[in-house]
Amino acid sequence: MKNILVTGGAGFIGSNFVIHMIKNRSDCRIVNYDLLTYAGNLDNLNEVKNDPRCSFVKGDICDPSAVKKLFDDNNFDAVVHFAAESHVDKSITGPAQFVTTNVLGTQILLQTAKELWENNFNTKRFIHVSTDEVYGTLGETGSFTESTPLAPNSPYSASKAGSDLLARAYFETFGFPSIITRCSNNYGPYQFPEKLIPLMITNALNDKPLPVYGDGQNVRDWLYVQDHCRAIEAVLGRGAPGQVYNIGGNNEKRNIDIVQLILTALGKPYRLIKFVPDRLGHDRRYAIDASKIKSELGWEPSVNFETGIRDTIKWYLANEWWWKKLR
């Protein structure tokens, strides 16, 4: 774990992971590679910006020459690949960028690492961070396992499924040390205010309408971002190449229940809720079976939803300086 490339390390989950590793692991150096598009924010990394073990390089994973130079300049032991276009609504109105970044960008990273690591795959790791959305939607019962067939229903999830299959193919064809993780919905500090929980918190604080898709009955499994960071750390250290690990929070909640909980916590009226036409291809329910990572790597979530959402609301209340300029 000595020298780690983190792509997308100025985004929500990536920045939380960088902070987690720098604070908890003395045996690692991190190079954060991020293009700083609208959701990338170096303010996320203020806690570690002066740490000599953490450096930042601005760049595009879709630029082969820039990625090659990055690898040539650093003898990476591992890659943790977060960089992706991830907003479902944006993928519906503009899918091309999602295919370019998520599929082509991942292939460029895989190929560059393969060429430079060819003679010592056994000492390297490439963690491809994906999403439970690649599995599609569930009925009222059951959970996604690592063997659930991929059935993506949005351009975003289709592009992530494509990148997953590339990571798998590099292992199957070349013996490349790729590992895929698929997480449920994350929440916590530094999440860009377009996502459900920070959007509802910040709108409520400004007494603005809280837009809820359809009937609000869509169910998601919610994972506190710090638990996700611990899971990736476990996969990085002990995961087996070629494997897929589902990472879930064991917190299934309806969207409408989360919105009402936030309004109650902030002392705001339910009349702020505004039901809007449902998203195209909106998956009804996700649920993760994370028994594999628990049994093989000893990880399980430590933060229940009640604690996590309380701490998240407190964070947004205490850090208006961070989100107000983004809005």
Side-chain angles (χ1 to χ4, degrees):
M1 264 202 211
K2 304 246 168 138
N3 203 20
I4 303 170
L5 169 62
V6 175
T7 69
F12 165 45
I13 306 175
S15 61
N16 275 280
F17 179 74
V18 170
I19 293 168
H20 171 82
M21 294 296 286
I22 292 296
K23 284 187 169 183
N24 293 284
R25 297 298 295 254
S26 61
D27 61 342
C28 75
R29 170 181 171 265
I30 288 178
V31 176
N32 174 9
Y33 188 68
D34 198 300
L35 188 57
L36 297 181
T37 55
Y38 75 97
N41 186 352
L42 289 179
D43 285 345
N44 297 7
L45 295 157
N46 282 348
E47 291 181 61
V48 297
K49 68 179 181 180
N50 295 321
D51 194 302
R53 294 179 298 125
C54 182
S55 61
F56 172 73
V57 177
K58 184 177 181 181
D60 188 351
I61 61 171
C62 296
D63 183 341
S65 60
V67 172
K68 175 70 161 56
K69 183 178 187 303
L70 181 72
F71 274 78
D72 285 341
D73 291 346
N74 300 272
N75 183 24
F76 292 122
D77 299 297
V79 174
V80 182
H81 176 33
F82 293 100
E85 296 283 349
S86 64
H87 195 240
V88 176
D89 290 349
K90 286 182 174 19
S91 81
I92 293 170
T93 58
Q97 186 60 51
F98 286 71
V99 175
T100 300
T101 300
N102 298 353
V103 180
L104 178 61
T106 298
Q107 189 275 327
I108 288 170
L109 285 168
L110 288 165
Q111 184 64 22
T112 304
K114 171 191 169 293
E115 291 174 356
L116 294 175
W117 292 354
E118 198 96 55
N119 296 320
N120 53 351
F121 281 170
N122 62 323
T123 66
K124 307 292 187 179
R125 290 293 182 271
F126 187 107
I127 313 301
H128 176 60
V129 181
S130 189
T131 170
D132 59 358
E133 294 191 42
V134 299
Y135 296 124
T137 190
L138 287 166
E140 294 183 1
T141 60
S143 300
F144 298 131
T145 71
E146 288 81 358
S147 60
T148 299
L150 305 190
N153 291 319
S154 71
Y156 160 63
S157 55
S159 69
K160 288 298 290 185
S163 62
D164 286 15
L165 294 176
L166 281 168
R168 179 184 186 277
Y170 268 68
F171 171 78
E172 295 292 340
T173 303
F174 309 114
F176 182 79
S178 54
I179 305 172
I180 299 166
T181 63
R182 295 182 180 136
C183 67
S184 56
N185 282 43
N186 279 222
Y187 68 103
Y190 301 114
Q191 188 170 26
F192 195 78
E194 69 187 0
K195 301 290 188 175
L196 177 69
I197 287 176
L199 177 65
M200 297 303 149
I201 294 171
T202 54
N203 273 21
L205 288 172
N206 286 279
D207 295 308
K208 292 185 175 181
L210 276 60
V212 176
Y213 280 127
D215 58 7
Q217 301 297 309
N218 302 75
V219 174
R220 299 293 182 264
D221 173 24
W222 291 93
L223 173 68
Y224 192 57
V225 67
Q226 293 299 325
D227 276 336
H228 190 190
C229 293
R230 291 193 305 105
I232 295 172
E233 180 187 7
V235 172
L236 184 59
R238 305 188 297 280
Q243 293 298 303
V244 176
Y245 296 96
N246 281 351
I247 305 170
N250 298 329
N251 288 305
E252 285 189 56
K253 302 289 181 184
R254 298 184 307 169
N255 287 349
I256 189 62
D257 293 334
I258 291 176
V259 174
Q260 291 176 348
L261 185 158
I262 290 169
L263 288 170
T264 299
L266 294 174
K268 300 290 185 175
Y270 285 4
R271 61 180 168 78
L272 288 175
I273 296 172
K274 179 184 179 182
F275 291 97
V276 298
D278 208 357
R279 169 193 288 159
L280 296 175
H282 200 181
D283 292 332
R284 192 64 169 174
R285 174 175 170 263
Y286 302 149
I288 281 279
D289 179 348
S291 57
K292 177 178 177 178
I293 191 172
K294 179 180 179 180
S295 63
E296 294 189 9
L297 305 185
W299 175 90
E300 60 183 330
S302 62
V303 179
N304 62 39
F305 187 77
E306 291 68 28
T307 300
I309 193 67
R310 181 192 67 212
D311 290 348
T312 300
I313 291 170
K314 286 182 178 178
W315 188 89
Y316 281 90
L317 283 169
N319 291 277
E320 288 191 2
W321 67 271
W322 180 86
W323 57 263
K324 275 195 170 180
K325 58 187 176 181
L326 297 179
R327 288 174 61 92

